[in-house]
Amino acid sequence: MEKEKIKLFIKRNIVPIIFIVMCVSMILISNVGLNFLANELYRRIVRNTIMIIALLIPIMAGMGINFSVVIGALCTHFAAIIIVDRQIEGAMGIVSVFVLAQVLAFVCGNIIGYILNRAKGREMITSLVIGLLGTSIYTLIFLAGYGTIIKPHNPNIMLSTGIGIQTMIDLMPLKQVIVEHPYIPILFIVAATVITKYLMGTQFGAKLKVIGDNMNNAYALGIDVDKMRRYAIVVSTMLASAGQIMFVLNIGSINVYTGHLNVDVFACASILAGGATLNKASLKNVFLGVVLFHTMFIVSPMAGKVLFSNVAIGEYFRSFVAYSTIVISLIMNIHNEKQGVSD
């Protein structure tokens, strides 16, 4: 009986167990200092946690991984560029970025939710394509539209031709507030956690659980399924936007055209590394996943250098870990469902 419990526990938690073993092994191989690891891990937790939390509500609604969180990140970039162009600095600048980004995320979330309601059963691939489309539109606006259709107010952020935004934009006038008040990112994470936990426990969350378990039952109970699913994507997009604010402020600059790339993949890999599945996830999976996945990200180049005398191998291993986590998790989810293993 005890052996059966252990086997069931391992089957349910195989992905986080694999990650724990790999993290411990690589920490020992790389011989990394614990102070260095703790400092780097703290920075990555501050940067990435809210983006991972943004995935929870759509999973609860049975929509799988919401790869369109990229759009939330783009809303933040859009808002930050506008505020920097208007030369609004300090606390007022951060508040302005947050408010404008949230408004954009609310609008975009409703549009995305409407589209995904027309693609029931294919939400993940559809959200991935939406993210790619959003990236193309965003690039067109800031590479060709700014300086032609849109009149710039701050020539320092423009390319030398006068058309298009520079690749990097300095956010130090905004980051200075975070430097002076380092507890602000933690407050953002706590707020996002509390809001998500609250929503999951309300009638809204209960309806999403019914929809996620069985959409036909939800229809039979009189739940407006399309509206609830759209609201789930709106919440996800707005949280993703807030998460990207913490990301760019922690770095102190925006990589205008590539800074949003892979935020969806890394968030997805993190929550799956924490033991989430495509239809069940919790805040426990978020916080375990961000620690395990980003610990791997920190130590893998060092372990690669020790094992192969080549840091580049460790860098390639980072991408391998991100995508292999998703593949392994999908395989294990399907296997466990066939075997009748559930949480």
Side-chain angles (χ1 to χ4, degrees):
M1 188 68 179
E2 196 65 32
K3 285 185 178 180
E4 289 298 321
K5 287 183 178 180
I6 294 173
K7 286 175 65 175
L8 186 60
F9 175 82
I10 292 173
K11 283 184 178 181
R12 287 174 175 173
N13 301 280
I14 185 66
V15 176
I17 289 171
I18 290 172
F19 257 82
I20 290 171
V21 172
M22 291 177 68
C23 286
V24 172
S25 301
M26 289 202 171
I27 289 172
L28 295 174
I29 291 170
S30 61
N31 197 28
V32 63
L34 292 182
N35 286 338
F36 171 80
L37 178 61
N39 289 333
E40 287 296 311
L41 188 56
Y42 172 77
R43 279 198 286 269
R44 289 182 175 275
I45 288 172
V46 167
R47 292 177 189 173
N48 297 283
T49 300
I50 300 177
M51 186 66 72
I52 304 170
I53 292 174
L55 299 178
L56 283 178
I57 300 296
I59 291 175
M60 181 190 298
M63 303 175 77
I65 302 296
N66 176 26
F67 288 100
S68 64
V69 289
V70 170
I71 303 299
L74 290 177
C75 289
T76 290
H77 285 202
F78 193 102
I81 292 169
I82 296 298
I83 296 307
V84 171
D85 185 29
R86 295 284 176 172
Q87 297 178 301
I88 304 174
E89 302 179 354
M92 182 57 69
I94 292 178
V95 172
S96 299
V97 170
F98 180 80
V99 172
L100 180 55
Q102 290 295 291
V103 171
L104 291 171
F106 177 82
V107 174
C108 291
N110 273 286
I111 296 171
I112 296 167
Y114 177 84
I115 295 171
L116 294 184
N117 278 333
R118 299 296 178 272
K120 291 185 178 73
R122 302 181 298 277
E123 290 92 349
M124 287 200 294
I125 187 63
T126 305
S127 66
L128 187 62
V129 174
I130 289 172
L132 296 173
L133 176 62
T135 296
S136 300
I137 295 172
Y138 164 87
T139 303
L140 183 65
I141 290 172
F142 287 107
L143 195 58
Y146 232 88
T148 53
I149 299 173
I150 305 172
K151 181 182 177 181
H153 294 80
N154 183 359
N156 294 327
I157 66 172
M158 303 297 294
L159 294 171
S160 58
T161 59
I163 299 175
I165 301 293
Q166 293 179 5
T167 302
M168 298 291 294
I169 290 183
D170 183 24
L171 292 181
M172 284 308 296
L174 301 180
K175 183 180 178 179
Q176 193 60 38
V177 177
I178 304 297
V179 173
E180 294 173 0
H181 305 283
Y183 54 83
I184 290 178
I186 300 299
L187 292 179
F188 262 76
I189 293 173
V190 170
T193 302
V194 170
I195 290 170
T196 303
K197 184 69 174 177
Y198 171 76
L199 290 176
M200 292 170 75
T202 60
Q203 189 178 15
F204 169 72
K207 289 180 179 179
L208 290 182
K209 287 178 183 177
V210 173
I211 294 170
D213 290 338
N214 192 310
M215 198 178 299
N216 291 327
N217 287 347
Y219 280 119
L221 291 171
I223 297 173
D224 191 336
V225 172
D226 285 1
K227 184 172 76 172
M228 290 295 105
R229 282 162 51 97
R230 190 176 77 249
Y231 286 171
I233 295 299
V234 169
V235 171
S236 178
T237 308
M238 293 177 74
L239 283 172
S241 175
Q244 190 68 4
I245 291 174
M246 289 299 98
F247 186 93
V248 296
L249 287 180
N250 182 265
I251 294 176
S253 62
I254 291 181
N255 194 326
V256 175
Y257 301 108
T258 60
H260 62 284
L261 299 179
N262 287 328
V263 298
D264 53 342
V265 174
F266 292 158
C268 171
S270 294
I271 198 168
L272 292 176
T277 68
L278 297 182
N279 47 30
K280 285 190 178 180
S282 67
L283 288 165
K284 176 188 71 175
N285 302 134
V286 170
F287 289 104
L288 178 60
V290 71
V291 170
L292 292 178
F293 184 77
H294 288 284
T295 297
M296 181 70 70
F297 249 50
I298 295 166
V299 299
S300 58
M302 302 174 189
K305 183 178 180 180
V306 171
L307 289 173
F308 306 103
S309 300
N310 190 343
V311 174
I313 292 177
E315 292 292 340
Y316 288 123
F317 189 65
R318 287 179 169 182
S319 298
F320 167 77
V321 166
Y323 291 105
S324 63
T325 301
I326 298 172
V327 173
I328 292 171
S329 298
L330 293 175
I331 292 172
M332 293 310 302
N333 288 344
I334 294 171
H335 174 74
N336 287 342
E337 285 180 6
K338 288 183 177 179
Q339 295 294 319
V341 177
S342 64
D343 295 333

